[in-house]
Amino acid sequence: MKFGIHSLLFRETFLEKDLPLLDKCARLGFDAVEIIPFDPGNFPAAKVKAAAADLGLAINTGYGMPLEYNTISPDPKVRRAGIEFSKKLIDLSVAAGAEVFGGMIYCGWGYLSGRPRTEEEWRWAVDGYREVAEYAAAADPSLVLGIEPVNRFESHFINTAADAVRFIREVGTPNIKVHLDTFHMIREENDIRQAVLDTGSDLGYVHACENQRGIPGTGLVPWREFFRALRQVGYDGCVTIESFDPNMESIAKLCCIWRKLADSPEQLASEGLAYLKRVRSEAWEEAMAC
């Protein structure tokens, strides 16, 4: 199992000047770094790939689709723009050597229609993302597209693991998987462990986040049960700590982070990594003893 860290814990951007962050993450003990190419035109994809290879790091990418690229918009021009923008993000992910491109990559982040999702929205999203997934498969068959269920305050469209499983199965391409995030799961699932078990082999990526976005192990997430479930479904991919620094005003506003979650980003990263590795090891040992 690989353990990753989200670059937004340390940097608001990822431009050429931010490349030294990869070395920092490696020195903190991480196996992978997730990067959001917020500025696609200036994202140094090839240099990310080269630097990560030198450090022995895996790279993952993610995104929250802006509303102007909302693939469930009633406006067909907006939906088409979202599909074409998704293809650009896939090109950048492939150029960066990413193993996973995940997140809220299937509709506009923060888009709330004021009603439950409709079958029309579902059809738009499935048909549109099938085109995106087929494009990605041609660009790099090994790139995993991770569909992340998010909480009801961020979207009305895909809120649970069951929603995401249904979505990827209807898209129907082998490169699309479910991306589970414990921050959202603790708000939307009836049983976190059972949600993992029900996702099963469709699980392709994991965000490890406390319910308050603090250091894993300091909140309400049932980590031991979560890792037992990961083992039970045979998931041995990347588990990435996702949190943010409230001193980054734009990120804090987007993610509603209004208080300090640790003394420093480095403390959150290092203590979170140590905790997750310990719980994972204990859960594996307990499973072996049964």
Side-chain angles (χ1 to χ4, degrees):
M1 180 174 285
K2 295 176 182 176
F3 287 90
I5 188 69
H6 206 292
S7 69
L8 287 179
L9 179 59
F10 302 103
R11 299 281 194 281
E12 282 189 277
T13 61
F14 206 97
L15 306 174
E16 189 168 347
K17 68 180 178 62
D18 300 305
L19 286 168
L21 177 60
L22 298 179
D23 180 67
K24 178 175 187 170
C25 294
R27 285 186 280 107
L28 285 168
F30 289 95
D31 309 302
V33 179
E34 181 177 336
I35 302 172
I36 309 295
F38 271 133
D39 185 351
N42 293 299
F43 180 57
K47 292 184 178 181
V48 166
K49 182 177 182 178
D54 288 343
L55 293 165
L57 281 175
I59 295 295
N60 299 309
T61 53
Y63 220 81
M65 293 292 283
L67 295 183
E68 63 264 33
Y69 298 125
N70 179 21
T71 56
I72 61 170
S73 169
D75 185 339
K77 293 181 180 178
V78 174
R79 297 200 301 273
R80 172 45 56 183
I83 291 169
E84 296 306 319
F85 184 65
S86 295
K87 292 176 182 179
K88 291 180 182 179
L89 294 175
I90 285 166
D91 288 341
L92 288 176
S93 298
V94 171
E99 297 181 359
V100 176
F101 169 54
M104 201 171 172
I105 56 176
Y106 49 85
C107 73
W109 182 28
Y111 176 66
L112 297 166
S113 68
R115 59 182 180 174
R117 70 168 181 251
T118 66
E119 284 305 312
E120 191 172 39
E121 288 174 331
W122 187 265
R123 177 172 50 80
W124 289 333
V126 168
D127 291 347
Y129 219 79
R130 185 177 298 117
E131 180 179 338
V132 172
E134 289 172 350
Y135 179 88
D140 181 358
S142 69
L143 178 66
V144 172
L145 306 178
I147 301 301
E148 180 182 21
V150 299
N151 68 75
R152 76 199 86 137
F153 307 108
E154 297 181 34
S155 176
H156 68 288
F157 190 65
I158 293 181
N159 300 131
T160 65
D163 288 336
V165 168
R166 178 190 166 199
F167 184 80
I168 70 165
R169 290 182 179 174
E170 291 191 22
V171 171
T173 60
N175 57 340
I176 186 170
K177 296 286 187 178
V178 176
H179 167 181
L180 291 180
D181 182 322
T182 53
F183 174 81
H184 301 292
M185 294 178 79
I186 202 163
R187 285 155 181 78
E188 300 299 334
E189 302 292 351
N190 294 332
D191 183 323
I192 287 180
R193 176 179 176 275
Q194 192 60 49
V196 175
L197 297 181
D198 290 344
T199 303
S201 61
D202 290 319
L203 181 58
Y205 191 49
V206 171
H207 273 171
C209 311
E210 262 306 349
N211 64 289
Q212 84 288 45
R213 294 277 193 201
I215 301 170
T218 63
L220 301 176
V221 174
W223 291 108
R224 191 177 302 277
E225 290 82 358
F226 182 70
F227 275 99
R228 285 174 182 161
L230 292 182
R231 187 184 189 284
Q232 193 167 341
V233 300
Y235 181 76
D236 202 28
C238 191
V239 174
T240 294
I241 297 174
E242 183 189 42
S243 190
F244 312 100
D245 186 343
N247 294 314
M248 300 178 191
E249 291 186 8
S250 62
I251 301 303
K253 184 176 180 180
L254 285 170
C255 299
C256 298
I257 305 292
W258 311 124
R259 59 191 172 92
K260 288 185 68 174
L261 303 168
D263 291 337
S264 67
E266 291 77 12
Q267 180 200 18
L268 194 153
S270 60
E271 292 187 10
L273 176 62
Y275 177 81
L276 292 177
K277 282 187 170 182
R278 183 173 72 253
V279 173
R280 184 263 188 192
S281 178
E282 291 171 355
W284 257 238
E285 290 174 4
E286 289 168 4
M288 293 291 288
C290 292

